[in-house]
Amino acid sequence: MNQILAFSFLLISVSVFAQLTVKDEKSIDSLFLEWSQNTGPGVAAGLIYGDNIHYTKGFGLAEVQNQTKITPQTKFQIDYLSRQFTVLAILLLEQQGKLSLSDPVQKYFPELPDYEHKLQIIHLLNHSSGLYDYGTVKELLGDTEDAIFTHQDALRLISSQKELSFKPGTSFSYLISKTELSLLAEVIAKAANQSLSEFTREHVFEPLQMHDTQFLEDYNTILSNLGHSYQTLDGKLKLKAINQGNAGPTNVYTTVNDLFKWYKIFNSPASSVLSTLIHKLDGYVQLEDGTTYDSSWGRMTLGRSFFHKERGLPAYWQYGISGGYAANVFRFPEQRLISFVIGNNDRYNGMPAMLMANHFIENMYPEPSTVSMSERRLTKVSNSELKKYEGYYWNAKRAIARRLFISNDTLKYARLGQEEGLNMIPLKTAKKFQLQVESDDKIFFSFKEVAGQNGYEITSGDSAPNTYVEYQPITYALEVLKEYTGSFYVPTLGIVYEFEIQDGVLVGKGPKGIRITFDPVIKDIFRNQRIAFASIRYQRNASGAIHGFSIYTDGIQNLFFKKIMN
């Protein structure tokens, strides 16, 4: 009860505060004209600007069959935005003395193998566990997005991993991995002796008067006032079932009105234990040496938002897309402006969320919406000098290959297979280029020697650099390519992949009709566009014969497939 009283000021009805001017309201309404005709799925939008400007509205249909309109009380799934509540539950349990972040994860989930290195709750919290991304494992198994998938299914896949990809706390796990969040949900259930849904309802949502918000742990649950999930396939609108019961990394259902109460806390000073812990979500995930996760999206926070500079202004951003649901939020802490859009419109909702914010702060951005190369300190580089940078480059960790080439006296950057590329503009700084893009993204290349080879580092905004090394694409004669064929088996997953040659190309065939075409990179390494098989590395025994291969991507490192038959 004391917590409720502590938040009472923050949670006063919106109607108490001053409203938008009629002109401002009409201007924001106009951003949602696409959905305001109430003829199909749509969105609900919310905005908080300081203490006095608030906006919540719905556009489109929550249920197309019955022409039910979307309102600020309509419930939608918010996918990745769910993760902040899972992390908050862990922080609450730590504050209550029911767990320690240094506890081994096996204390709460003994089915997890004992690894060579200690795996602690802090590693799950900081996204540095070394555990595989089970979404990638699901892809290996041939499971689709539509397949029924429960929390127990997630735990089964997680516990099948016998070795970690790296020592916990020394590197970051896959950017969007659900593995750590699913294990945190299990830790919460064991430490609290309540399910994640029960604990968050009692200790988070009810104290904050978010009465229409909950984790859904049974995908068959019937919710009132639900915005149904839709997708357009082959030009036809269809219901898109969400068969996911893995609450923790996803599966919060909420409303714009409830999110308004939640995000308003970020705009106000901490006034209680709960609000202090909520503010703590903006702290950064980090390794044991203090290194933070600086991705191209921004610096990852404990609440799984990404802090970055939006045209020069500090901002937090997070999004989620699941089935036909989509959610997006931008927070500008210095301006105390928060803009968010959720819906069942089956698309990324970042643009309307950003345009709502821009209505109030467009003139505050210190930088323009697009990068002007004419204002850069540029230089002239001869074709002979540019020739030094031409070639193919490979990032082994991310399993990504790129091609640099010269066209019309300009160095170009392209994906493999693309004929056209983006211009790389030389800067005054030696061996440094900037990618010419139609946005405010600042993407830089710095050429350097990497382990005795030509290479470059690429950064986007304030991201940590990703390193690419030059390689010479290899082409195999048919007889040599046959060496990579055969049957390969993973006993922990119980799956077999058959590799054969079709039309001169190496093809892998797996469970449930999976067919993957592989392109050679360098000797014994092949690549593919699918995340699960982005890079495979064949391994040879002492006599030089291939005895298996390992998957090596951001999501999985060193999962070994043993060769069982030629």
Side-chain angles (χ1 to χ4, degrees), residues 94-373:
E94 182 194 29
Q95 189 273 331
Q96 294 170 4
K98 294 183 178 179
L99 61 75
S100 168
L101 299 186
S102 62
D103 285 343
V105 180
Q106 290 87 344
K107 176 180 177 180
Y108 304 93
F109 183 48
E111 293 84 353
L112 202 63
D114 288 322
Y115 300 112
E116 179 184 358
H117 303 288
K118 193 173 182 180
L119 178 61
Q120 302 171 311
I121 295 174
I122 188 73
H123 299 133
L124 303 179
L125 209 64
N126 282 306
H127 237 323
S128 61
S129 69
L131 291 164
Y132 297 156
D133 165 37
Y134 70 65
T136 309
V137 176
K138 282 179 61 182
E139 189 176 347
L140 293 176
L141 295 170
D143 290 339
T144 65
E145 180 188 2
D146 296 333
I148 293 173
F149 193 75
T150 67
H151 180 63
Q152 292 305 316
D153 292 330
L155 295 181
R156 176 178 55 81
L157 291 186
I158 295 169
S159 61
S160 71
Q161 183 175 344
K162 303 307 179 186
E163 296 180 356
L164 298 175
S165 292
F166 49 79
K167 181 181 178 182
T170 64
S171 186
F172 288 107
S173 301
Y174 186 51
L175 179 64
I176 60 171
S177 174
K178 298 177 180 179
T179 297
E180 287 88 352
L181 279 299
S182 292
L183 279 178
L184 287 176
E186 184 68 8
V187 169
I188 291 162
K190 297 292 178 58
N193 199 27
Q194 291 179 289
S195 69
L196 172 64
S197 178
E198 292 168 341
F199 182 82
T200 50
R201 182 180 66 248
E202 179 180 341
H203 296 277
V204 179
F205 302 135
E206 288 303 316
L208 300 181
Q209 298 182 29
M210 296 171 66
H211 304 304
D212 291 319
T213 302
Q214 69 181 94
F215 271 104
L216 209 64
E217 296 179 299
D218 181 353
Y219 58 88
N220 287 316
T221 302
I222 297 174
L223 295 178
S224 62
N225 208 10
L226 176 67
H228 291 262
S229 169
Y230 296 96
Q231 284 188 337
T232 300
L233 299 173
D234 301 324
K236 296 181 179 179
L237 186 68
K238 300 180 180 181
L239 283 167
K240 177 67 173 178
I242 305 294
N243 296 322
Q244 306 297 309
N246 54 326
T250 184
N251 269 29
V252 161
Y253 284 75
T254 189
T255 69
V256 156
N257 276 357
D258 272 9
L259 285 180
F260 185 94
K261 298 170 185 177
W262 170 255
Y263 284 119
K264 192 165 180 60
I265 297 167
F266 289 89
N267 258 11
S268 305
S271 58
S272 70
V273 171
L274 183 55
S275 63
T276 298
L277 293 178
I278 291 171
H279 281 265
K280 193 174 180 179
L281 295 175
D282 281 342
Y284 303 122
V285 300
Q286 57 184 329
L287 303 181
E288 291 175 357
D289 65 3
T291 301
T292 54
Y293 196 117
D294 299 339
S295 75
S296 58
W297 288 353
R299 182 170 292 176
M300 184 188 286
T301 70
L302 287 170
R304 299 322 194 249
S305 291
F306 295 90
F307 177 78
H308 63 289
K309 294 291 183 67
E310 189 72 39
R311 293 170 56 185
L313 290 182
Y316 295 90
W317 168 76
Q318 183 55 295
Y319 83 104
I321 296 177
S322 180
Y325 294 118
N328 220 288
V329 58
F330 288 93
R331 294 192 285 121
F332 293 87
E334 292 183 358
Q335 287 69 39
R336 298 179 65 218
L337 187 149
I338 303 172
S339 175
F340 49 97
V341 176
I342 60 177
N344 58 349
N345 59 325
D346 187 27
R347 71 175 67 178
Y348 171 77
N349 284 324
M351 184 58 72
M354 179 55 68
L355 290 175
M356 278 203 300
N358 287 351
H359 176 80
F360 296 98
I361 62 173
E362 178 63 44
N363 295 330
M364 299 182 191
Y365 290 116
E367 298 176 5
S369 58
T370 57
V371 175
S372 173
M373 290 299 170

Side-chain angles (χ1 to χ4, degrees), residues 109 135 207 277 333 335-336 376 407 426 430 436 438 454 485 516:
F109 183 48
L277 293 178
Q335 287 69 39
R336 298 179 65 218
R376 296 291 181 202
S407 176
Q436 188 171 5
E438 295 298 322
N454 292 330
T485 63
I516 307 170

Side-chain angles (χ1 to χ4, degrees), residues 406-438:
I406 298 173
S407 176
N408 297 325
D409 300 324
T410 302
L411 190 64
K412 301 275 190 175
Y413 170 85
R415 299 173 184 269
L416 295 192
Q418 284 184 327
E419 293 299 322
E420 300 293 329
L422 296 175
N423 294 337
M424 296 175 62
I425 309 301
L427 305 178
K428 287 288 185 181
T429 307
K431 299 183 178 181
K432 189 167 184 177
F433 291 72
Q434 183 170 354
L435 198 65
Q436 188 171 5
V437 294
E438 295 298 322

